[in-house]
Structure formats: structure tokens, C-alpha cells
Amino acid sequence: MLQPMRDDRSTGRVTLAQVASQAGVSLSTVSKVLNGRPDVSAPTRVKVEELLEAHGYRRSAPSAPETPLIEIVFHELDSAWSMELIRGMQNVAKTAGVSVVLTETGTRHSPGAEWVEGVLRRRPLGVVLVFSTLPDELKQKLWSRAIPFVIIDPAGDPEPDVPSVGSANWAGGLAATRHLLDLGHRAIAVVTGPEDMLCSLARLDGFRSAMAMAGAEVDPRLVRFGDFHVQAGYDHAMELLRLPERPTAIFAGSDLQALGVLEAARVLGVQVPEDLSVVGYDDIPLAQWSSPALTTVHQPLVEMAEEAARMLLRLRRGHQGGGPRADRSDARPDTRPETRPDQADTRIEFGTRLVVRNSTAVVKSAAE
């Protein structure tokens, strides 16, 4: 159990020496924990972290490294979608005179637990995370080191204190489905993303809403959950297009899945758009070069990443200020409550829009 710690009478703040004394470690060990050094045992690190948190410690911003870095963290880097985000980050970083470092870790929901130790050692100016959220423990560690972070395209509804940049997924699903309905399609299938991601469900809800408003029935057999990759689009389309009453249109929850749908149609001899209309989502550069060119929902990935980078740099400036360096032996922790980002400035949602190309057409029965 943590014992009360006596404040320094001249400042009203506890000193790092007092933290070290209560933890039963040396002052240099506390400094190592503060600076993310690896040569500290896990139990000691936890004890020191608990004491620092209990006394409201918020580390002052470190002095700028020789080569300032902003870090973007993905759970995977093998898609054109990721490349668009990197491009947007690089646009802002170049203007700001900083470099971008890429990290791959964790699952689509959150980064791996081991990642935070590395980022504390690297001390970037800030971190952009392409995940649904960030566990409380990792948030606390980043806040305590004054390392700002922003979540981009959150798959869930991020907490009020989590800066985020997203897009209008429900409206995108609505627009894609309305386009197909306006072309006379009623047997419309949807291959959205993972069932445990809110962006997937929001696009599916937009699809359902458009169908309901048009008085069109949603056939449960035509609703599929993929993973946003080409193979999932191909596999689901192969099943859908082999149904006795196959759909006349497929709305894919990503352009990569839509490319898989186009390949399945080619293999089965189904002509696009004569026999099957296909709509994607994202509008990655490859969409306009597919055969036929893909009708899709434009999600402004580059602009989203640019805004996330700008937001990160604004948060960084908010963290900067006077105060002692954490690795100095005479440094004193700040016992004031930790500051959190202002929600009004850190929750941004970009609009989406339909881009009509050559993969959609009037349904055959209506055209004849």
C-alpha cells in the first residue's frame, strides 16, 4: 500500500528523491524509469510508476531530439490504405521539418504492450496510432512522459480524452447503397469489414438504412463480414455469385475487397457492370486503374493523416513549457492534476463522397 509522501515545504511538491526513498530504490533508478530505460526490473518499474501516478506526476516535455520524429503506428503495413496515411503524415512532417518513423505492432484494436517501452526510449515528438483505441495503462504512460498521441480513423467510439480523426462511415455506406438503388438494383449484397469494428458496422448500418428507406428487403444471405483485404472480397464474392439467385450488385466495405469481387466475377464469367455492379470504399489510387474503373466512396485518407499530424503538433506545443528535465537529480514532479486534450479541438470527422466510375450500371432487368 502506498504511504503518504511529505511535500517539500518550499514548493508544495514532492521530489524525485522522495519518490526514490518511498520506492526503496536509488534516484538513478527513478530517472531510468522516467526515461524509459530497459535496465530496470518489471516489479521495480511498476512500483515507481504507481508512486509517480499516485502523486500526480506529469513529466515536462523533453528537450527536442537532434532529429525530431513523429511516429505512426499500424497493426499492419501491407496495404495501399496504409500507404495513403503515411503519405499524408509525410506531407505535414516535411513542412514542419520533422521525420516520420513507422512501427508495426499489435492487433487492429490496440498496439502491443511491448511497444510503449520502445516509444518511451525513442521519445518522439508525438505518436499517431491507427487503432480503435488505446488501453488506459498505455495512455497513462504517454501522458506521464508528455508524449501526445492521436488516433486516426478510430474503429470504435474513442473516449472524450482521446484525440482522434475519423470519417463519416455511416454516410458513406448510405451513399454507396443509394447509388445502386437509383440504378434499379434491389438484390444488393454487402461485404463489410470485421464484425467487431465500428467503422464496419457503421457502413453496414448505412447500407441497411438506404435499403429501408427505399422499401427494399435485406436478404441475410447477402450480408457478409470480411477483413478489408482482397482475399476476403474474392472468397465472399465466389460464394455470393454462385447462389441460385445471385445479387445484381455488391457493395464492398473497402476498395481492396472490391478488387477481390472483380476478380471473382472474372473467374466466374460474370460481366461487370453488365451483369454485376460493384462499389468499393476508400478511393485508393488503384481504384481508378482497376478494370473496369471502380465506383467507390472517397474517404479522404491523405487529408485525415495530414490533420492527425497537425493535431499532434498542436498538442505537442501545448505540452511544451518551462520545468525541470526529468533526468536531472534535482527535478521535482508536478503534483498538479494531469492536463488532458481539449475535446473541442481534438475530435474531427471528415465527410465522404461517392465517386462514380465504370463498375456500376443500370440493372439489366430495368435496362431491357
Side-chain angles (χ1 to χ4, degrees), residues 188-195 200-201 203-204 207-208 218-228 232-247 250-254 257 261:
I188 304 174
V190 58
V191 182
T192 189
E195 195 169 2
S200 306
L201 298 177
R203 293 170 197 179
L204 178 59
F207 163 81
R208 293 185 187 277
V218 176
D219 186 341
R221 296 175 304 165
L222 304 185
V223 177
R224 305 297 177 93
F225 291 94
D227 61 7
F228 291 142
Y234 177 85
D235 291 342
H236 284 297
M238 290 295 283
E239 295 176 5
L240 291 165
L241 296 177
R242 285 171 169 158
L243 292 174
E245 295 182 8
R246 72 187 186 201
I250 297 178
F251 166 40
S254 72
Q257 286 186 157
V261 172

Side-chain angles (χ1 to χ4, degrees), residues 88-148:
M89 287 279 293
Q90 184 60 34
N91 289 345
V92 173
K94 184 177 180 181
T95 301
V98 301
S99 300
V100 176
V101 61
L102 310 179
T103 299
E104 185 176 21
T105 180
T107 68
R108 61 177 175 262
H109 297 291
S110 66
E114 78 290 345
W115 164 77
V116 74
E117 300 302 329
V119 81
L120 295 182
R121 290 193 298 272
R122 288 187 290 275
R123 287 187 177 181
L125 299 179
V127 181
V128 171
L129 299 123
V130 188
F131 294 96
S132 58
T133 189
L134 196 61
D136 287 341
E137 178 186 358
L138 299 189
K139 287 192 294 185
Q140 292 292 342
K141 286 187 175 182
L142 292 176
W143 277 325
S144 73
R145 302 303 195 280
I147 299 176

Side-chain angles (χ1 to χ4, degrees), residues 12 27 121 163 171 174-175 193 251 271 275 278 280 309 312 321:
L27 189 58
R121 290 193 298 272
L174 185 79
F251 166 40
Q271 298 296 310
D275 302 319
V278 179
L312 189 70

